[in-house]
């Protein structure tokens, strides 16, 4: 497995269940030993040189099992001791307050973790990862259990971490829309191997040999639809009421050509846009290429 | 932050974790019962088995009565879950994903649990003396208590270490309790059988086996320490609570056998912890 990640990137680590995402993360964190090969983090073996390797690397686990008998403040205090954060009690309290505020659970600071909801626990898990000054955030399914507002807030937090603080985010996720909207690049793993890696748009183009255009207009005639179909790169049109899903071979942008046809036909054009969530299509396609019999995520 | 500070924070964490499991509260409740009810019963019902001359030393009854069973079992209850419960609940993963030495985590867990055990041991001694004073008046020979505390603490280390090791090896708290208790009770029962067979046959091999069983030095050491320092009349009190004679012939041999069990147990647990993967939540 060979994966190079530049500083300041937000990388989506994708793959089906059992593909090796979490194993890979646990290898990086020195929680498990590699059966073959070597792992180096910051140039150090994460097991024998655990402290050096993981200095400035923070981790938020999938479905975190936090110490339910502690309060968020107590857990973060323990983490701050582990990290060797500000030796003064005031400095530590300030840092705890900062991260709790950052993830939006300051008001639950002194409630037992056992009493927190799943979403709150997820927020706390990210809070403990944000303690101190991490340079790399490794997040295993960080959006699980979050409500839409929480997801949006976390996207902002991670974006800011990468863009303003120059941090690197490496996150595994099954929520493709989240990954597509947040990540600057993705890596698709399957069977312990990296299938594709690169900028989101590059991976999509590498995997998919088509793009999708959504057209919404009133007064579209069969004749106009026929003319759109005649455009060389258009391979398929799926009508749906007043809108069309147009499958375009390759990645040429045919929107000006199509809108020109629609306007000239006298139909009212409301919108024309490239389809979003192409990452999900690319992801499914990438996996089906590896294993033609299996097309589901 | 220095490594001792990190170890200290893990120790505090382990104490808090063990207390949260509530078994410590149960152990304290047992200690209170064991150290008060027998004294009350003895003082009200009276007994001809204990001469009046032994009353000023009646505190030894409470301190020694718990040694064979209660103290060793307390050590097992605390130690067997120290590592295994963290794996079962999946909480070890988060703590060990931080830039901390595994050895510091290990040391913090071991020492934290042991300090908790020492606290219960101290509570047992204080309560025994207080009960003896309340029901039988002024007590003597208390100057040996600090030394006796250390000896009892050291003696219990054998089952504490074995249970700690088993907890790390099997990584299931219930299995660790069962295996540790099995070792403890088997040793106890086999010891009784060996003693009986030795008495009947006179063959020293049976006595030797009995001496080297883990319960023998654990129970002998406190008696070997205290007996020479207390008047002879106290021997009757010790007989009364079933701690009359030391099985192991000498104090030094008891120490040697204790170390022979304790050091490998700690070393095996540490080696396994170092080389094995940190498992995720075990259900």
């Amino acid at each position: 497995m060979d994966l190079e990640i530049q500083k300041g990137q937000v990388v989506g680590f994708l793959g089906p269940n059992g593909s090796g995402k979490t194993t890979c993360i646990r290898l990086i964190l020195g929680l498990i030993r590699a059966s073959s090969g070597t792992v180096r983090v910051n140039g150090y073996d994460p097991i024998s040189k655990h402290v050096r390797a993981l200095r400035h690397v923070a981790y938020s686990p999938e479905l975190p099992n936090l110490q339910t008998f502690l309060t968020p403040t107590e857990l973060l205090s323990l983490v701050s001791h582990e990290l060797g954060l500000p030796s003064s009690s005031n400095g530590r309290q300030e840092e705890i307050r900062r991260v709790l505020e950052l993830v939006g659970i300051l008001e639950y600071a002194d409630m037992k973790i056992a009493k927190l909801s799943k979403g709150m626990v997820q927020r706390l898990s990210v809070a403990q990862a944000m303690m101190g000054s991490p340079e790399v955030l490794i997040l295993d399914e960080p959006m699980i259990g979050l409500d839409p507002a929480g997801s949006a807030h976390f996207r902002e937090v991670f974006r800011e971490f990468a863009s303003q603080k120059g941090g690197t985010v490496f996150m595994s996720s099954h929520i493709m829309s989240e990954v597509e909207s947040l990540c600057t690049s993705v890596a698709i793993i399957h069977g312990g191997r990296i299938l594709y890696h690169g900028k989101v748009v590059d991976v999509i183009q590498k995997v998919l040999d088509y793009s999708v255009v959504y057209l919404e207009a009133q007064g579209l005639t069969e004749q106009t639809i026929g003319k759109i179909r005649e455009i060389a790169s258009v391979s398929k049109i799926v009508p749906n009421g007043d809108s069309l899903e147009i499958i375009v071979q390759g990645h040429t942008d045919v929107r000006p050509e199509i809108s020109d046809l629609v306007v000239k036909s006298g139909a009212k054009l409301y919108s024309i846009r490239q389809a979003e969530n192409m990452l999900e299509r690319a992801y499914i396609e990438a996996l089906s290429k590896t294993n033609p019999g299996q097309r589901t995520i | 932050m220095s490594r001792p500070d990190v170890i200290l924070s893990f120790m505090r964490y382990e104490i808090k974790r063990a207390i949260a499991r509530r078994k410590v509260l149960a152990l304290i409740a047992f200690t209170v019962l064991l150290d008060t009810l027998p004294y009350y019963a003895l003082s009200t019902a009276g007994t001809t088995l204990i001469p009046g001359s032994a009353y000023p030393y009646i505190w030894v009854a409470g301190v020694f009565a718990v040694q064979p069973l209660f103290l060793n079992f307390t050590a097992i209850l605390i130690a067997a879950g120290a590592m295994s419960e963290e794996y079962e609940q999946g909480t070890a993963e988060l703590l060990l994903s931080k830039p901390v030495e595994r050895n510091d985590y290990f040391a913090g867990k071991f020492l934290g649990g042991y300090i908790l055990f020492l606290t219960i041991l101290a509570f047992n001694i204080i309560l025994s003396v207080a009960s003896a004073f309340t029901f039988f008046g002024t007590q003597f020979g208390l100057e040996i208590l600090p030394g006796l505390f250390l000896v009892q603490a050291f003696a219990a280390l054998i089952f504490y270490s074995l249970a700690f090791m088993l907890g790390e090896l099997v990584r299931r708290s219930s299995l660790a309790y069962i295996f540790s208790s099995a070792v403890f009770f088997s040793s106890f029962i086999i010891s009784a059988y060996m003693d009986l067979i030795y008495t009947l046959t006179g063959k020293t091999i049976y006595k030797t086996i009995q001496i080297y069983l883990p319960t023998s030095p654990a129970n002998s050491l406190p008696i070997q320490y205290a007996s020479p320092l207390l008047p002879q009349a106290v021997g009757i009190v010790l007989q009364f609570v079933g701690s009359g004679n030391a099985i192991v012939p000498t104090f030094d041999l008891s120490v040697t056998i204790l170390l022979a069990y304790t050091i490998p147990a700690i070393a095996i647990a540490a080696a396994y912890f170092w080389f094995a993967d940190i498992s995720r939540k075990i259900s």
Side-chain angles (χ1 to χ4, degrees), chain A residues 104-144:
Chain A
I105 55 168
L106 184 59
E107 67 216 84
Y108 303 100
D110 297 316
M111 185 185 274
K112 289 279 181 208
I113 294 172
K115 291 183 178 171
L116 297 182
S117 71
K118 195 174 163 187
M120 296 297 172
V121 170
Q122 186 63 53
R123 285 166 185 254
L124 178 57
S125 177
V126 171
Q128 61 79 29
M130 300 294 280
M131 289 284 285
S133 312
E135 289 171 7
V136 179
L137 276 184
I138 298 177
L139 311 166
D140 201 354
E141 297 283 357
M143 307 295 191
I144 284 185

Side-chain angles (χ1 to χ4, degrees), chain A residues 59-121:
Chain A
Y59 167 60
S60 169
E62 178 188 6
L63 299 172
N65 298 299
L66 304 181
Q67 287 71 1
T68 50
F69 56 92
L70 297 177
T71 64
T73 302
E74 289 168 339
L75 176 69
L76 296 179
S77 177
L78 174 65
V79 170
S80 74
H81 277 98
E82 282 192 276
L83 297 174
L85 291 186
S87 52
S88 73
S89 178
N90 278 349
R92 201 175 296 130
Q93 289 305 317
E94 272 173 31
E95 178 62 5
I96 290 169
R97 194 182 162 82
R98 181 188 72 81
V99 292
L100 287 175
E101 207 162 18
L102 183 71
V103 300
I105 55 168
L106 184 59
E107 67 216 84
Y108 303 100
D110 297 316
M111 185 185 274
K112 289 279 181 208
I113 294 172
K115 291 183 178 171
L116 297 182
S117 71
K118 195 174 163 187
M120 296 297 172
V121 170

